[in-house]
Amino acid sequence: MTTLDGKVAFVAGASRGIGAAIAMALAEAGAAVAVAARTEHEGRVPGTIGAVADRIVEAGGRAVAVPCDVTSEESVEAAIATTVKEFGGIDVVVANAGVLWLGPIDSTPLKRWQLCLDVNLTGVFLVTKAAIPHLRARGGGSLIAVTTTGVDMIDRGSNAYWVSKAAVERLYLGLASDLSTDNIAVNCLSPSRVVLTEGWAAAGGGQRIPPEAIEPPETMGAAATLLARQDASGITGTVQRSETLVPRV
Ligand code: NAP
């Protein structure tokens, strides 16, 4: 396995939680990282793009904080352009930005349904679409979308969140075929267990999770780093769970 020295990674949704852990791990493996999300100033939920970029730089890595709202095509295109201007190109994309809504369909407000689809699905579409020409220009690369094991939990019902993530898996599985001749690996990745992130806590989750069901965010960092090293000759067109790629901690 090679490291990510000389590679550039764009991580969407990196101001906190799993995205921040992935950004740190990619930087540790040698990539220059664009830390992309909306939060530039500390607010109700902890975490900013500047603080994550600073942590990477303090640890000896390369990073730039890039303001980005994945629901806005204009914002995404500006963030991608800033990254290319700063680091000269893009090799790896991690489409991690996400919002959680686990309420049953019959009590889901339309605006929550639309928010899930806008951030979790359209956001992946916009980030991926804007980045593809830059990966092509480098002769290949790796696209990673963060999904969830909830996609498979049909016996537990339905909600806007799982529906949005299922659509992302269909999007990426088909895209792997479309981009194979461009030497671009396309994979989905989810935690095998629950990661107790700021977002999870803010959404009211976490209180009744037994310790054995909790996964450290670093596992997603290591798994994303492994997928970031792929091109179309390696792992592509797959839906991965973190602990099938890296040992359980
Ligand atoms: P989190 O702590 O809430 O972090 C979510 C990230 O997404 C933040 O950086 C947030 O940044 C960003 N984001 C939200 N809306 C955005 C927008 N419109 N534009 C740009 N960025 C946006 O959540 P997390 O638990 O780390 O989850 C990260 C990903 O893992 C999500 O896709 C989630 O569905 C998935 N996942 C998590 C778990 C888990 O156990 N935690 C399990 C399965 C899958 P800003 O607010 O600064 O924009």
Side-chain angles (χ1 to χ4, degrees), residues 2 20 24 29 32 34 57 71 77 80 96 105 113 116 120 150 157-158 165-166 172 175 186 205 213 225 248:
T2 58
M24 300 284 294
V57 171
T71 67
E77 286 177 350
I80 293 283
N96 166 80
I105 290 297
W113 171 264
C116 276
N120 300 349
S158 188
K165 294 289 187 180
Y172 260 43
L175 201 55
V186 187
T225 301
R248 184 173 173 151

Side-chain angles (χ1 to χ4, degrees), residues 13 15-16 18 38-39 68-70 96 147 161 165 195 197 199:
S15 56
R16 64 186 71 90
I18 291 170
R38 294 167 304 172
T39 309
C68 179
D69 180 346
V70 298
N96 166 80
T147 58
Y161 176 69
K165 294 289 187 180
V195 184
T197 59

Side-chain angles (χ1 to χ4, degrees), residues 96-118:
N96 166 80
V99 292
L100 190 66
W101 176 264
L102 297 177
I105 290 297
D106 54 0
S107 60
T108 293
L110 176 59
K111 73 172 188 182
R112 285 286 165 188
W113 171 264
Q114 286 173 332
L115 183 68
C116 276
L117 293 180
D118 285 351

